[in-house]
Amino acid sequence: PGTYVCAKCGHELFSSRAKYEHSSPWPAFTETVHEDSVAKREERPGALKVSCGKCGNGLGHEFLNDGPKVGQSRF
């Protein structure tokens, strides 16, 4: 339980309450802690490149409509 933060600057990113099990080997989350927790830019259709909203450290992707419920995204 707790909050996942950026390894580079400590900025709050995701809450353990938003974490869920997914077939990927990486932790999966449905939402960020704050609206400005991450910055996003389109990488390809259905996938956004995600970085820390404070320092720009690369965090992976947001996969649109791939969350545990219809219409949810997966970080």
Side-chain angles (χ1 to χ4, degrees), residues 4-70:
Y4 291 77
V5 299
C6 176
K8 188 172 181 180
C9 74
H11 189 59
E12 292 184 333
L13 303 171
F14 305 101
S15 167
S16 61
R17 291 180 304 230
K19 187 176 179 184
Y20 71 98
E21 291 296 320
H22 186 268
S23 60
S24 130
W26 303 101
F29 303 91
T30 56
E31 62 189 4
T32 60
V33 173
H34 306 289
E35 192 172 313
D36 68 347
S37 290
V38 300
K40 307 173 190 180
R41 67 174 172 77
E42 187 170 6
E43 184 172 76
R44 63 181 187 271
L48 306 175
K49 188 74 172 169
V50 178
S51 58
C52 174
K54 184 175 181 183
C55 73
N57 188 35
L59 301 173
H61 294 85
E62 176 181 0
F63 297 99
L64 307 176
N65 300 310
D66 190 39
K69 295 179 184 173
V70 174

